[in-house]
């Protein structure tokens, strides 16, 4: 069987602002540049349960929305800051929800040809294995996934 040449039109990098995700974004940007692909950088914020602690008053909807918005902007700014994306189209996306499920749905929606993620993220637990988001993405995404150590 003859396989068509693989050449990505759309490359997605998922970032949570961690060092691993910054390395992943760097790899994604290089691949996008070399293939003249569109680069989409996505961050997903999970609304933290019990964010306000036991017995505290829940934040107002506006306060919560603003806190999430600030967090997402911070992560995206940090990720894009040092990327070399000269000559390619770059889009940044913020979503709210479960990170792995949201990223998988997004990649299908934009017909991503490649998803690039870090092996680890901003989670506080030191692991020998990859993080749970990277693990789920590599198992369930509908497109090729590149996991950057
Ligand atoms: N909220 C998120 N939005 C976008 N990308 C994410 C998000 N969380 C993780 N990722 C991507 O997945 C990679 C691995 O992160 P992951 O969350 O799996 O590891 P971890 O934080 O070390 O472990 P865990 O979250 O399981 O405690 C990150 O480098 C990033 O590319
Ligand atoms: Mg994590």
């Amino acid at each position: 069987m003859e396989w068509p040449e693989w050449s990505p039109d759309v490359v997605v990098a998922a970032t949570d602002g961690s060092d691993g995700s910054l390395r992943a974004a760097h790899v994604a940007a290089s691949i996008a540049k070399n293939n003249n692909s569109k680069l989409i950088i996505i961050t997903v914020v999970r609304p933290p349960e019990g964010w306000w602690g036991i017995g505290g008053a829940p934040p107002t909807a506006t306060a919560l929305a603003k806190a999430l918005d600030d967090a997402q902007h911070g992560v995206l700014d940090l990720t894009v800051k040092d990327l070399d994306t000269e000559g390619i189209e770059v889009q940044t996306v913020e979503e709210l929800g479960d990170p792995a499920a949201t990223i998988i749905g997004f990649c299908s929606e934009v017909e991503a040809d490649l998803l690039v993620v870090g092996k680890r993220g901003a989670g506080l637990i030191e692991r020998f294995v990859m993080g749970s988001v990277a693990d789920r993405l590599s198992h369930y995404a509908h497109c090729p996934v590149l996991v950057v150590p």
Side-chain angles (χ1 to χ4, degrees):
M1 166 162 181
E2 279 245 355
W3 296 94
E5 193 181 327
W6 182 83
S7 167
D9 293 326
V10 179
V11 175
V12 173
T15 179
D16 60 0
S18 63
D19 285 353
S21 69
L22 298 189
R23 285 194 293 276
H26 173 73
V27 169
S30 295
I31 294 172
K33 259 193 105 160
N34 290 334
N35 291 280
N36 200 21
S37 340
K38 176 179 181 178
L39 176 65
I40 309 179
I41 300 171
I42 181 170
T43 190
V44 181
V45 171
R46 180 206 302 271
E49 291 154 48
W51 190 48
W52 46 90
I54 297 162
T60 62
T62 336
L64 183 59
K66 187 178 180 309
L68 295 174
D69 208 47
D70 288 352
Q72 288 168 321
H73 272 101
V75 165
L76 288 174
D77 289 349
L78 181 71
T79 307
V80 173
K81 192 165 53 90
D82 298 321
L83 283 188
D84 176 11
T85 55
E86 208 189 309
I88 57 166
E89 189 189 345
V90 183
Q91 187 189 343
T92 54
V93 175
E94 313 166 348
E95 298 272 357
L96 194 60
D98 171 75
T102 306
I103 292 165
I104 290 169
F106 180 80
C107 286
S108 297
E109 208 176 286
V110 300
E111 296 182 26
D113 298 294
L114 178 67
L115 168 64
V116 189
V117 298
K119 186 176 179 187
R120 295 200 189 80
L124 296 176
I125 305 167
E126 271 290 329
R127 292 170 207 271
F128 297 108
V129 295
M130 69 171 98
S132 60
V133 176
D135 186 63
R136 283 174 64 200
L137 291 172
S138 59
H139 278 95
Y140 300 116
H142 309 299
C143 66
V145 179
L146 178 58
V147 181
V148 178

